[in-house]
């Protein structure tokens, strides 16, 4: 096998385009998963069973069905109901929605890990419920779960190639198209593999350092 540096050079403009789309999907999907996961977690703590039960059913269904199936459903089925989004928007929503059911569990663990004395102190100070959550409980809970949330960001990164299934031109899609057009597979696919390593491995090291710092 001969390594063709010319193919690498020719592929790089396509790679940068795909990388930008991948990072956009990752960033926006992360925001949705973090925000919606917190909403799910708070709803699951409401005393009203008629709120907890539907939320539990929906989140269990999403968590236990493949992301690829959800991508196909949002991209191909929703237009039949006159609900249409771009491919990238659909991918972002699918990733964010799917991973929100996992971040929900992380938030729940963080909230349950807040010492009971903190709740009792807030009650003794006669703090309103909203103030108790925003000033006492959530700051402590989120601080505990930041590393775990970061791990899901890395998982989302590794799932972005699934967006190729709904025509999103992320990194792997760009590599596939280039390979099919030029009949050169080794160079573009190797570049993509190295790119994922260069993004995910330093991020995992950063998360470990952050975890050690937060648990002090």
């Amino acid at each position: 096998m001969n390594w063709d540096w010319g193919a690498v050079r020719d592929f790089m403009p396509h790679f940068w385009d795909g990388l930008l789309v991948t990072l956009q999907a990752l960033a926006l999907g992360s925001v949705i998963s973090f925000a919606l996961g917190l909403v799910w977690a708070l709803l699951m703590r409401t005393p009203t069973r008629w709120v907890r039960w539907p939320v539990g059913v929906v989140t269990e269904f999403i968590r236990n069905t493949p992301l690829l199936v959800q991508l196909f459903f949002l991209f191909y089925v929703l237009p039949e109901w006159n609900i249409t989004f771009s491919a990238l928007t659909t991918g972002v929503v699918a990733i964010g929605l799917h991973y929100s059911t996992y971040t929900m569990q992380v938030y729940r663990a963080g909230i349950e890990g807040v010492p009971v004395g903190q709740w009792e102190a807030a009650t003794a100070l006669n703090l309103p419920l909203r103030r108790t959550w925003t000033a006492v409980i959530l700051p402590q809970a989120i601080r505990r779960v930041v590393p775990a949330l970061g791990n899901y960001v890395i998982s989302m990164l590794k799932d972005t190639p699934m967006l190729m299934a709904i025509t999103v031109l992320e990194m792997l899609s760009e590599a596939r198209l280039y390979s099919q057009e030029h009949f050169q597979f080794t160079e573009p696919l190797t570049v993509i593999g190295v790119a994922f390593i260069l993004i995910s491995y330093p991020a995992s090291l950063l998360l470990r350092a952050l975890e050690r710092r937060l648990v002090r």
Side-chain angles (χ1 to χ4, degrees), residues 22-170:
T22 295
L23 294 179
Q24 285 179 331
L26 176 63
L28 296 174
S30 297
V31 170
I32 292 174
S33 69
F34 292 164
L36 188 56
L38 181 58
V39 172
W40 294 139
L42 295 177
L43 289 176
M44 288 297 292
R45 291 187 62 87
T46 60
T48 306
R49 185 181 66 176
W50 298 111
V51 173
R52 294 196 314 271
W53 185 81
V55 170
V57 170
V58 170
T59 55
E60 284 295 323
F61 177 81
I62 294 172
R63 185 165 55 248
N64 289 286
T65 53
L67 174 58
L68 189 59
V69 173
Q70 296 165 18
L71 282 167
F72 281 151
F73 183 88
L74 294 177
F75 191 67
Y76 293 108
V77 176
L78 288 187
E80 296 183 2
W81 301 342
N82 296 319
I83 303 174
T84 305
F85 302 104
S86 68
L88 180 58
T89 300
T90 300
V92 166
V93 171
I95 288 178
L97 184 62
H98 183 79
Y99 275 94
S100 71
T101 61
Y102 293 96
T103 59
M104 174 192 75
Q105 299 296 344
V106 174
Y107 284 125
R108 289 180 66 182
I111 293 170
E112 292 171 0
V114 175
V116 176
Q118 298 295 314
W119 294 92
E120 294 174 347
T123 302
L125 293 172
N126 200 29
L127 292 179
L129 183 60
R130 180 176 178 181
R131 180 68 174 169
T132 299
W133 278 103
T134 58
V136 179
I137 304 304
L138 287 182
Q140 296 183 65
I142 292 175
R143 183 175 181 271
R144 295 166 180 267
V145 303
V146 165
L149 293 176
N151 288 331
Y152 281 117
V153 173
I154 296 175
S155 296
M156 280 185 267
L157 170 67
K158 291 186 288 187
D159 275 348
T160 54
M162 287 192 186
L163 302 187
M164 175 175 59
I166 57 171
T167 72
V168 176
L169 292 177
E170 41 69 56

Side-chain angles (χ1 to χ4, degrees), residues 12-28:
M12 289 311 293
H14 303 278
F15 165 75
W16 294 119
D17 291 341
L19 176 62
L20 178 60
V21 173
T22 295
L23 294 179
Q24 285 179 331
L26 176 63
L28 296 174

